[in-house]
Each structure stands twice: as structure tokens, then as C-alpha cells.
Amino acid sequence: MGKVRNNKTIYFANAWKGLITKTARQQLENLGWTVDGNWLNGKNINSLYKVIFIAPAYFDKAIIINPKEFPTSKVFTYLLYPDELVGWNFKTSSYLKEKQKAFIPLLKTTTILSHSQYTLDLVASTYGESLNQTGHITYLPIEFNNIQKVRTGMSTRRGTTIKVLWNHMWRSDKGIGKALTIVDQLSLRYPDVEFYVGRKESWGKNPDVNTVKRQTKEVLLKLQTRNNVFFRPGFNSSKIIDYWKFLTQFDIGFSVSPQEGFGLSMLEQAAAGVACVMPSKEAYPEIHSGGLLVQNVAEGVSDLIKNSLKRKEVSQKGIKNASKFNAENWTERILEKIIQFNSFL
């Protein structure tokens, strides 16, 4: 990082660009902060950073630190990956609720931030006294204002055909099997509606990936012959505007993820005007109050297909709710925490 000329230096460990958005980073930089991170710009962590946010994780060569190694830095633990924090059972699609010893030095001694109350409660119930009890909720940012600009520019694109989107990684913890079953059932029930499955063949690296491929092979072969079912590849992060334009094409989006501590993808869809249907569990009721929260997602999607007024109402409520998570407000909340817990500013 070189010689530090001021105290306004922040390091985000184990956070992708999609989690700490471009606008959020620019806001901090405009206020004089230097913003780095292992996954943001490939910079290595060191003790010269005055503020460090670290999301406990193991995947993709994540950094694991002991705060004692950074005595001159203010270290915040940011709870972003609940499955990493408490473990995940791929056979039962449920949390293991097991303490991860490598994370305890962080969780016990640093200020805790969480992207949702749901995740904070889950971690607290697992770690008990091993968790610093002063937890704070700091919701993640989305590029709400920029998505709205794209939506306004695409306002004339909608035709008469209703379009439904499922757009998650093809993993068991995102409900790939159940999602494909819903597309299978509803595409037969509504032949005039178009159904899109996004992130084509984004299987990920979970230990059950081969099992998931085997279990979904038959339904995928069936859907590939259906005239009103389409598969679309994922978007590179450098094509983010194209991704937002893609989202504005859809009337309805749905999720069936059995593991969801926040739901960033569904918030982006809501911001784009998509009427979102989600199960009434995990972090969905907390984060996605503007969406249609149901016990049966397939019937929820069916309801919106049949009822144009309700579809419009859910879309409008979703936009209003998504606006609360805009990147500019996130920057203000983060700076409030930095100032609250640091005497050097």
C-alpha cells in the first residue's frame, strides 16, 4: 500500500465488488478515504490500514486474521456468509449451527456488523458467549439509483408477453431443483408466458455439485425442448449495465433459496421493477418486505401471472422497499459506525 499519509484508509476483506458496490466505494473515496480489499482490487492486508472490515469465510482463498495482529487498526467483523459462519448440511439443506474455531478470535473481540438481523441471530444462537454481544445491523448496498436510471431508459421495452425469471447460481442451497420444478409446472400451465432460467450452468463448487447435476438432468432435458422456456448465461461484473437492462425485461422474479441471509439478487430485481415472489422464511421477511412473501412460491408466481393489478402493486412496493438499500445510504451508515468506534477521526 505504500506510505500512509492520513488515517482514512479502509480495507474490506473477503467482500466482492457486488457486495461493496462501485457507487459505495466512490462515495468513500470522494470523502477522502482510500478503499482496498483482497477481492476488490487484489491488495494485501497489512497493519497500516486504520479500518478493517472482515467477512469470516473460507472459500476462494479468503483471509482469516486474528485481530491481535492489527493493534493499530479498528477491526470490524462483517457477517455476510451465514453458511460459512455456522456450517451448512448439503444433504438436509439446513444450517449445521457449529462454531468455527478459526473465526472465534474475530467474533469475540471485535465490533460485530451484520447484513441482516436474521444472520446476526443465527450466529448469536450458535456462538453464544463466544460472540461479542454488541452487534449492529448494516444492510448491504445496491445500485438502486443507477438501476432506476436504466429502468427509465428502458421504459418502452415491455411487450404484452409476461416474462418470469429465476436468476440464481445452479446450487442446492439456492434451490435449483425446486426452481426448475416450478418452471416445469408453470410453463405447462401457462404456455403463453415466457420463463427464463438465468446463470446457465453456473454450478459452483459445492461438494454436492455432481449430485445436483444428476438430480436435475431429466428436468433440464425436458425444459430445453419447451418453446416458452429459455436459458441465459450469467453476466460478467464488467457488464453490469447490461445485467440491469436484462432485469428490466421481466415482470415476475422468484426465489426458493433454502439458505438466504440477505437476498441481494432479489433486491436488484425489485429495484428494476420486477414483482418478486419469495418464501416467507430466512431473511426474506426482514429484507424483502415489498415482495410477495408466500408459503408456496409456485402458487405465488401463478397468482401474479393471473392478476395484473396485483403484479403492478408488488412491483411498486418492491421498488419502494429496494430504495432503502441504495449505496449512498449504506456509505453513510458505514461511516457512522467508523466514527462511533474510532477516536482517531
Side-chain angles (χ1 to χ4, degrees):
M1 189 175 72
K3 186 176 180 180
V4 178
R5 296 183 179 181
N6 60 59
N7 289 330
K8 300 174 75 171
T9 54
I10 301 178
Y11 190 93
F12 289 99
N14 312 331
W16 294 113
K17 291 181 179 179
L19 299 182
I20 313 297
T21 70
K22 183 178 180 180
T23 294
R25 298 193 303 273
Q26 286 179 338
Q27 290 277 105
L28 290 169
E29 291 168 354
N30 290 342
L31 294 171
W33 289 87
T34 298
V35 182
D36 291 320
N38 54 329
W39 295 348
L40 291 183
N41 57 6
K43 293 294 183 68
N44 294 324
I45 193 170
N46 64 55
S47 59
L48 295 180
Y49 290 99
K50 289 299 181 179
V51 181
I52 296 172
F53 293 90
I54 180 163
Y58 296 116
F59 64 93
D60 289 349
K61 299 180 180 179
I63 297 170
I64 301 175
I65 70 169
N66 188 319
K68 291 182 180 179
E69 301 169 354
F70 299 86
T72 61
S73 305
K74 174 57 184 179
V75 180
F76 293 85
T77 299
Y78 207 162
L79 309 182
L80 300 181
Y81 313 114
D83 57 322
E84 297 280 287
L85 285 154
V86 305
W88 183 255
N89 188 324
F90 289 94
K91 291 183 178 180
T92 63
S93 289
S94 61
Y95 294 106
L96 289 170
K97 294 189 176 182
E98 293 178 349
K99 294 180 182 179
Q100 307 298 306
K101 291 183 180 179
F103 301 153
I104 289 179
L106 276 167
L107 297 174
K108 196 167 187 176
T109 62
T110 66
T111 301
I112 304 295
L113 305 181
S114 178
H115 64 173
S116 67
Q117 186 66 52
Y118 174 83
T119 296
L120 180 59
D121 290 344
L122 175 66
V123 174
S125 67
T126 301
Y127 285 86
E129 294 182 357
S130 297
L131 178 72
N132 186 332
Q133 298 305 304
T134 58
H136 305 266
I137 309 304
T138 308
Y139 298 124
L140 287 172
I142 62 169
E143 293 282 4
F144 177 81
N145 292 326
N146 285 327
I147 294 173
Q148 280 288 291
K149 289 179 183 177
V150 169
R151 178 173 178 266
T152 300
M154 300 286 287
S155 60
T156 60
R157 58 93 192 131
R158 290 191 186 275
T160 58
T161 302
I162 296 172
K163 295 184 178 183
V164 178
L165 173 67
W166 181 79
N167 192 50
H168 293 275
M169 292 284 289
W170 288 24
R171 303 188 325 220
S172 61
D173 57 318
K174 293 300 179 182
I176 174 65
K178 188 172 183 179
L180 293 177
T181 298
I182 289 174
V183 172
D184 181 28
Q185 294 171 347
L186 296 185
S187 61
L188 284 175
R189 192 187 306 179
Y190 302 103
D192 294 329
V193 173
E194 294 182 354
F195 294 83
Y196 289 75
V197 178
R199 304 190 187 186
K200 183 179 179 181
E201 297 187 3
S202 298
W203 297 104
K205 300 177 182 179
N206 283 344
D208 65 342
V209 61
N210 290 329
T211 299
V212 173
K213 287 181 179 180
R214 184 173 64 254
Q215 291 174 341
T216 57
K217 182 178 180 180
E218 183 177 345
V219 68
L220 279 170
L221 288 173
K222 192 192 313 183
L223 292 176
Q224 287 166 2
T225 66
R226 197 110 0 119
N227 291 331
N228 62 334
V229 176
F230 307 90
F231 294 86
R232 292 290 182 265
F235 288 81
N236 186 283
S237 60
S238 64
K239 302 289 185 179
I240 191 65
I241 295 178
D242 290 340
Y243 173 59
W244 296 337
K245 289 180 179 178
F246 170 75
L247 292 182
T248 66
Q249 299 174 37
F250 295 94
D251 302 279
I252 302 168
F254 73 93
S255 176
V256 289
S257 299
Q259 182 234 119
E260 194 56 79
F262 188 75
L264 193 66
S265 175
M266 298 309 293
L267 270 182
E268 290 176 330
Q269 290 182 43
V274 182
C276 296
V277 184
M278 294 153 287
S280 184
K281 59 181 182 180
E282 297 280 315
Y284 289 119
E286 176 189 356
I287 306 297
H288 300 271
S289 60
L292 182 60
L293 302 169
V294 294
Q295 296 299 317
N296 187 314
V297 172
E299 290 308 308
V301 173
S302 178
D303 190 15
L304 293 188
I305 289 173
K306 294 182 293 185
N307 190 330
S308 61
L309 290 178
K310 188 170 184 178
R311 192 165 64 241
K312 183 177 181 180
E313 178 186 357
V314 173
S315 170
Q316 291 174 339
K317 287 183 177 179
I319 292 172
K320 183 178 180 180
N321 180 65
S323 69
K324 297 184 296 186
F325 299 88
N326 70 74
E328 293 83 353
N329 285 353
W330 177 86
T331 302
E332 292 180 6
R333 292 193 295 269
I334 282 292
L335 288 177
E336 285 176 3
K337 297 306 176 188
I338 292 174
I339 293 170
Q340 180 180 354
F341 294 102
N342 286 275
S343 59
F344 61 82
L345 294 176

